[in-house]
Amino acid sequence: MKIMVAIKRVIDYAVKIRVKPDKSGVVTQNVKMSMNPFCEIALEEALRMRESGLASEVVAVTMGPSQCLDTLRTGLAMGADRGIHVDSTSALHPLHVAKILMNLVQIEKPSLIILGKQAIDDDCNQTGQMVAGLLNWPQGTFASKATPSKLKNQAFAPTMWWGFPKDKSNMSQIGKKEYTHGTMKSLIDVVLDKEKEEVTVDREVDDGIETVQLKLPAVITTDLRLNQPRYATLPNIMKAKSKPIKKFTPQELNVEIKSDLEIVEVTEPPKRKAGVMVSSVDDLIDKLKNEAKVI
Amino acid sequence: MVNRNCRATLRLLTLINRQGHPHPPLSSSPSGHISHSYLILPFSIAFVFLTVLCFYSGTGIDACWKQLQRNNVHGEHKIVSFFSPLASSLKTRQWGVKIQSRCYGSASVLVQRNPKFSKLNDEDVRYFEGILGAKNVIQDDEKLITANTDWMRKYKGSSKLLLQPRTTDQVSEILKYCNFRCLAVVPQGGNTGLVGGSVPVFDEVVVSLSAMSKIISFDKVSGILVCEAGCILENIISFLDSEGFIMPLDLGAKGSCQIGGNVSTNAGGLRLLRYGSLHGNVLGIEAVLADGTVLDMLKTLRKDNTGYDLKHLFIGSEGSLGIVTKVSILTPPKLSSVNVAFLACKDYSSCQKLLQEARRKLGEILSAFEFLDSNAMNLVLNHLEGARNPLPTSLHNFYVLIETTGSDESSDKQKLEAFLLGSMENELISDGALAQDINQASSFWLLREGIPEALMRAGAVYKYDLSIPVEKMYNLVEEMRSRLGNDANVVGYGHLGDGNLHLNVSTPQYDDKILSQIEPFVYEWTSKHHGSISAEHGLGLMKANKIFYSKSPETVKVMTSIKKLLDPNHILNPYKVLPCSSIS
């Protein structure tokens, strides 16, 4: 089974963002760029599935100018088998990305697409849902950590453990019993059933956790608590150099990059005003009533 | 002997106990090794008489002589309880009398409060209130405890007064008065020093520069920053970050340490390999001498060869020649491409060869080269939350952290990858991971910067900071291990690129026996290999009498004369840096 993972090159999460003086966007010159954290989690998930034997190949896809190749190489260094680079210098909005992915799916024919739930530069949270809609595939979004759900008729494959579980209380008793030396029961809740061609996803929603069962092929978008991505180790970096990267352009994929969105202005959020010390309770009530108008 | 509350009996019992206590011979102590028991009673009575005298003159017991005790239970602050023996824990061998414990030193060094220094009185406090305003003259007990105790909670002074000047003139007035009254003074910054140099030994007045924390000016073209001495390093770093520059020094204590203290102690840190020491980066300082003279050497010039460059005397003098009030420092531009790699080596010689290769292959982009051994790694992983092993698949003996900083992301990454893969092929490194984003880089740094904190959490720690020729560095760690065996966990880590080893011995509790195994062996070993007994931590109180292990007597003589010249009354940070024998 092939898994396709889409990864995006964004401004590094830890960088302090500054708005350009002409308010047309944010400063990206000389700023550290790296892989979107949610995409890292998505790739990590795909790699774990491959390591547990449920998938045969992981293909990493990235779209953008040639600098995106750095991000793709990181993905290959983490362990993806092949890379696809869709070269485009124009701004790509979620709908374009979704259309490109749709056409790539006709070529690559994966059974599962895993994406990050959103990119940290635009926070759109649209691509995964749009891809599922265009392909008419089921989707499990905001996949997060929870107890392994269904136990009967499930192929529970042990996976390699990377990092330490943050929340031991969520471990099910079955999971603990089946620990064996070297491999441990995974805490991820995306459970793949190869025979039945289904995937069970626990979604993190506002009211709690919602479990959905999807028939493959399907789209999953990953949330923060799904896993902790691995580091790129040197042996893998070495291997990554010889992994193939296929190049496409949007035209080859019959996708027209027509921008129907125009960014009018980008401004910083208003700076938080300093607090005011009040001298008495009466003063506080007065301020709440008259200035803040909340009582 | 029955009436245990009698002071004379208390003294007597103390003396007897001390005689039986496994101390090395105490030198020149009036109530030390007494062989003639019939002398005990008159001695004790005389002593009690003296202490009573001291008490009535308003100084308290800690004004009397102190002994550097070897037994110090980690973290416990013993309050002087000479007159209220029930106040302290009674199960001690010393009959409820606990002299305020100073930290262990080596052998029997007696630090006596210099009787030349005056005692603080109300008139002095009123005078200071007149200069600074009542708000900045602090006698509040809680705040005094913080000012009196160092970061490692090993050294505790008994100062009764904390002053917080806001301008250089106020500092000058304070020192002029203290010099006139012969009041000892301890300049204090962030109080993160590790050798007891930032806290009072007895009742010195603490002059804290925390209130002087303004950034005065910053020149965006040249990168020259002028700021007051009380600016916290991390705040300066964030300020420079928004301007596109960085500080040339970076240390684990950056959240609390102040630039004045950094300059006064010539702090080293993690970036010394690339940007050099503070002697090269500080362009000027403004300092106040002991008699209140303000020396304005605050130039912002890169080159100024006019006369003797006095600022270098103050950089590294640990507050004993003058109080630094303003600093002008050259800051390098912030380069966009920072890469961090965490590597594993199987033995120390590969670490060394790796360093040589890194210098050659990475050259100008190399900005940090740190190493830690497997004991250090285990400590961090066990005691620090959020620490994650990047190379979990197998245990390695040594770990090396390499950081490169350059202006071109892709070419730097290529260079680094080529170097790492080449080293892997040559079997210099057995495994490694390269950080892909800033978060991963910070988690690698946490493994190295978190070691001191992990050591503190693990129990008692004996810290040594030594400069040793790189080839021999780890031999010391191995020798310490064989000396101490299973009694202690010997941890070695440090700035391999600068030849600086941080040797730490971690034990569950402080123990005399272990200390005697460590010191003076460590100092003698270092001295034999022509190393420095204090690479970057300074001498402070801990190593005040050890300077001869690394400096010749003639050099120390010249240092003493400079001290006499700039501070004739020795009021600045007394009992520290230079040996007591050479002063007074």
Side-chain angles (χ1 to χ4, degrees):
Chain A
M1 186 190 70
K2 206 190 286 191
I3 304 182
M4 184 183 283
V5 179
I7 54 186
K8 187 176 181 187
R9 178 174 182 261
V10 297
I11 297 181
D12 192 301
Y13 162 71
V15 165
K16 190 154 180 276
I17 309 285
R18 277 179 304 165
V19 176
K20 280 198 244 193
D22 60 359
K23 296 199 180 166
S24 60
V26 295
V27 174
T28 48
Q29 277 266 12
N30 269 344
V31 163
K32 170 103 181 155
M33 309 283 279
S34 48
M35 200 192 292
N36 183 28
F38 295 108
C39 299
E40 270 182 9
I41 296 174
L43 184 54
E44 173 66 22
E45 198 51 36
L47 294 172
R48 289 188 190 193
M49 284 188 191
R50 188 193 62 195
E51 273 151 15
S52 65
L54 297 167
S56 56
E57 201 183 15
V58 174
V59 182
V61 180
T62 192
M63 309 175 197
S66 59
Q67 291 94 323
C68 290
L69 281 171
D70 289 331
T71 321
L72 195 54
R73 294 237 164 77
T74 305
L76 293 175
M78 279 173 73
D81 298 298
R82 277 190 296 120
I84 296 179
H85 173 222
V86 179
D87 199 355
S88 159
T89 41
S90 40
L92 291 169
H93 293 303
L95 188 55
H96 307 140
V97 175
K99 286 185 183 163
I100 295 176
L101 278 175
M102 178 181 77
N103 288 324
L104 277 174
V105 158
Q106 321 308 11
I107 304 176
E108 291 284 334
K109 300 200 193 349
S111 320
L112 192 57
I113 301 184
I114 311 186
L115 304 116
K117 73 171 179 183
Q118 67 198 53
I120 59 171
D121 55 0
D122 56 19
D123 277 341
C124 282
N125 188 358
Q126 296 164 6
T127 312
Q129 291 86 335
M130 284 177 177
V131 170
L134 286 172
L135 290 169
N136 210 14
W137 284 8
Q139 55 180 290
T141 51
F142 314 109
S144 81
K145 201 177 257 194
T147 52
S149 42
K150 290 171 63 183
L151 310 169
K152 208 172 176 213
N153 296 331
Q154 292 272 337
F156 245 172
T159 54
M160 285 299 282
W161 195 248
W162 295 96
F164 297 95
K166 284 209 162 86
D167 189 4
K168 288 212 168 87
S169 62
N170 268 344
M171 267 167 34
S172 77
Q173 198 49 40
I174 307 283
K176 273 195 204 148
K177 273 192 206 145
E178 292 187 47
Y179 276 1
T180 52
H181 173 72
T183 61
M184 287 203 231
K185 194 65 70 188
S186 159
L187 265 197
I188 64 164
D189 66 287
V190 176
V191 173
L192 207 50
D193 186 340
K194 216 168 171 179
E195 306 139 8
K196 273 209 202 155
E197 302 265 316
E198 277 174 356
V199 63
T200 308
V201 176
D202 277 9
R203 309 177 53 227
E204 214 174 75
V205 294
D206 288 343
D207 334 356
I209 308 279
E210 180 191 68
T211 309
V212 292
Q213 200 168 38
L214 317 169
K215 271 198 157 50
L216 297 179
V219 173
I220 296 179
T221 66
T222 60
D223 205 334
L224 199 58
R225 276 162 281 277
L226 182 57
N227 60 42
Q228 215 174 15
R230 63 191 64 180
Y231 294 111
T233 55
L234 291 178
N236 287 339
I237 296 178
M238 207 150 45
K239 285 186 219 152
K241 291 195 185 301
S242 49
K243 288 181 183 169
I245 297 181
K246 223 191 294 187
K247 201 142 165 245
F248 288 99
T249 59
Q251 290 76 23
E252 286 171 26
L253 297 169
N254 299 323
V255 175
E256 203 189 324
I257 309 290
K258 188 182 46 158
S259 190
D260 28 7
L261 269 179
E262 186 199 330
I263 294 181
V264 175
E265 190 188 69
V266 176
T267 46
E268 266 186 28
K271 287 219 169 17
R272 201 176 146 175
K273 280 197 289 223
V276 172
M277 296 281 272
V278 291
S279 47
S280 68
V281 179
D282 294 320
D283 202 7
L284 174 65
I285 296 177
D286 174 58
K287 283 214 189 304
L288 286 174
K289 211 185 253 183
N290 300 328
E291 284 186 29
K293 297 207 175 39
V294 291
I295 48 169
Chain B
M1 285 284 263
V2 176
N3 182 2
R4 290 172 186 169
N5 281 333
C6 167
R7 269 178 220 130
T9 346
L10 278 172
R11 204 67 224 148
L12 175 73
L13 292 163
T14 321
L15 297 175
I16 292 175
N17 272 325
R18 206 173 286 127
Q19 212 179 330
H21 207 60
H23 271 249
L26 303 167
S27 57
S28 66
S29 92
S31 51
H33 187 71
I34 295 171
S35 50
H36 307 287
S37 45
Y38 64 83
L39 282 174
I40 293 175
L41 198 56
F43 265 127
S44 62
I45 293 176
F47 202 82
V48 168
F49 177 66
L50 283 170
T51 57
V52 167
L53 254 186
C54 296
F55 178 68
Y56 283 117
S57 69
T59 52
I61 291 312
D62 41 346
C64 301
W65 61 278
K66 264 187 189 148
Q67 179 186 356
L68 282 173
Q69 284 199 333
R70 272 119 147 290
N71 279 329
N72 178 14
V73 180
H74 176 61
E76 197 181 318
H77 301 300
K78 301 179 182 75
I79 308 162
V80 171
S81 55
F82 212 101
F83 295 108
S84 53
L86 295 173
S88 58
S89 74
L90 288 175
K91 57 182 166 127
T92 79
R93 287 163 289 188
Q94 290 175 319
W95 277 105
V97 171
K98 281 191 190 176
I99 299 174
Q100 198 160 38
S101 48
R102 301 299 314 174
C103 195
Y104 63 89
S106 71
S108 52
V109 177
L110 224 61
V111 179
Q112 290 199 33
R113 184 187 183 283
N114 194 335
K116 213 166 47 107
F117 295 137
S118 318
K119 313 280 195 307
L120 195 65
N121 57 35
D122 285 333
E123 216 184 278
D124 301 324
V125 178
R126 275 199 298 275
Y127 183 84
F128 290 132
E129 280 177 2
I131 311 175
L132 304 172
K135 211 173 49 148
N136 295 322
V137 174
I138 296 167
Q139 292 182 290
D140 169 45
D141 281 326
E142 255 184 63
K143 296 205 186 125
L144 277 176
I145 290 182
T146 331
N148 271 315
T149 319
D150 78 324
W151 183 77
M152 293 187 64
R153 285 189 241 115
K154 251 204 235 167
Y155 298 96
K156 191 168 190 307
S158 46
S159 168
K160 297 281 182 298
L161 188 65
L162 169 64
L163 299 175
Q164 288 190 327
R166 282 176 191 273
T167 66
T168 309
D169 288 323
Q170 287 177 351
V171 177
S172 166
E173 293 284 310
I174 294 172
L175 284 181
K176 202 174 354 186
Y177 183 75
C178 290
N179 192 32
F180 163 70
R181 274 274 291 141
C182 223
L183 287 166
V185 164
V186 170
Q188 193 176 82
N191 199 2
T192 56
L194 299 170
V195 286
S198 53
V199 289
V201 182
F202 298 104
D203 60 344
E204 296 91 277
V205 173
V206 178
V207 175
S208 165
L209 295 191
S210 312
M212 297 176 65
S213 55
K214 268 202 310 278
I215 292 181
I216 300 174
S217 73
F218 180 65
D219 179 358
K220 284 198 243 280
V221 175
S222 55
I224 297 179
L225 172 78
V226 181
C227 63
E228 289 184 328
C231 297
I232 294 180
L233 188 60
E234 191 155 55
N235 294 346
I236 305 181
I237 292 177
S238 340
F239 167 76
L240 288 175
D241 199 60
S242 55
E243 305 282 341
F245 286 83
I246 57 169
M247 276 299 269
L249 86 159
D250 188 16
L251 25 149
K254 55 184 162 228
S256 317
C257 67
Q258 294 169 12
I259 189 71
N262 290 139
V263 167
S264 300
T265 53
N266 192 19
L270 306 159
R271 293 215 186 105
L272 196 127
L273 183 69
R274 170 74 170 258
Y275 300 113
S277 88
L278 280 176
H279 280 289
N281 290 307
V282 170
L283 299 178
I285 61 173
E286 183 194 71
V288 182
L289 296 178
D291 61 359
T293 321
V294 176
L295 274 186
D296 184 0
M297 304 174 285
L298 196 67
K299 286 275 193 305
T300 52
L301 304 169
R302 206 64 178 81
K303 299 161 126 187
D304 181 15
N305 279 347
T306 51
Y308 305 142
D309 201 355
L310 292 181
K311 65 174 191 284
H312 291 292
L313 275 181
F314 295 93
I315 302 175
S317 64
E318 302 182 48
S320 59
L321 294 178
I323 299 187
V324 172
T325 48
K326 290 201 184 81
V327 174
S328 106
I329 189 163
L330 179 66
T331 63
K334 184 177 158 90
L335 296 173
S336 52
S337 148
V338 176
N339 285 306
V340 180
F342 199 80
L343 313 166
C345 297
K346 59 181 188 303
D347 57 20
Y348 183 67
S349 61
S350 348
C351 294
Q352 281 181 64
K353 289 197 199 111
L354 192 64
L355 173 62
Q356 289 170 321
E357 282 297 301
R359 281 225 169 93
R360 225 160 269 281
K361 299 273 168 57
L362 296 175
E364 67 284 0
I365 59 170
L366 185 62
S367 61
F369 195 103
E370 304 283 315
F371 93 106
L372 44 144
D373 63 8
S374 51
N375 286 0
M377 185 67 152
N378 290 336
L379 259 174
V380 175
L381 292 175
N382 290 337
H383 292 270
L384 240 51
E385 326 78 46
R388 197 177 137 202
N389 188 353
L391 308 166
T393 42
S394 51
L395 293 154
H396 299 102
N397 293 330
F398 290 92
Y399 296 94
V400 169
L401 189 150
I402 296 186
E403 187 194 59
T404 65
T405 311
S407 45
D408 188 349
E409 176 84 49
S410 42
S411 82
D412 280 0
K413 206 155 189 169
Q414 255 176 16
K415 230 179 189 174
L416 183 58
E417 273 180 22
F419 161 70
L420 291 175
L421 296 177
S423 310
M424 204 145 172
E425 276 163 28
N426 295 334
E427 295 192 2
L428 286 179
I429 46 184
S430 38
D431 200 0
L434 190 53
Q436 299 299 318
D437 53 37
I438 298 185
N439 269 342
Q440 289 187 356
S442 327
S443 61
F444 287 171
W445 271 115
L446 177 68
L447 293 170
R448 163 61 184 90
E449 284 184 311
I451 301 178
E453 202 186 318
L455 281 163
M456 291 286 287
R457 291 192 192 181
V461 58
Y462 296 97
K463 260 189 200 300
Y464 297 94
D465 160 46
L466 314 155
S467 257
I468 302 174
V470 174
E471 323 84 64
K472 312 231 180 60
M473 228 200 286
Y474 208 68
N475 294 346
L476 178 57
V477 182
E478 286 165 353
E479 281 198 47
M480 277 319 303
R481 273 201 191 121
S482 56
R483 269 175 88 89
L484 293 172
N486 282 332
D487 297 331
N489 182 11
V490 179
V491 167
Y493 63 96
H495 315 286
L496 188 58
D498 313 327
N500 183 191
L501 173 74
H502 289 305
L503 175 71
N504 281 258
V505 179
S506 172
T507 56
Q509 285 176 331
Y510 286 108
D511 186 357
D512 257 1
K513 250 190 322 138
I514 296 189
L515 181 60
S516 62
Q517 290 276 68
I518 306 177
E519 290 187 28
F521 172 72
V522 152
Y523 298 133
E524 286 168 357
W525 197 99
T526 312
S527 183
K528 201 168 51 167
H529 291 91
H530 306 288
S532 162
I533 53 149
S534 185
E536 52 182 12
H537 291 172
L539 295 171
L541 180 65
M542 179 181 169
K543 303 179 201 170
N545 291 312
K546 312 272 187 311
I547 192 172
F548 295 107
Y549 283 107
S550 297
K551 289 278 187 316
S552 70
E554 298 81 23
T555 326
V556 179
K557 213 157 123 206
V558 176
M559 289 188 205
T560 318
S561 30
I562 295 176
K563 168 79 173 168
K564 273 206 182 76
L565 176 69
L566 293 177
D567 180 16
N569 290 329
H570 296 298
I571 59 165
L572 285 174
N573 229 358
Y575 319 110
K576 300 171 191 155
V577 186
L578 295 177
C580 330
S581 47
S582 56
I583 315 240
S584 73

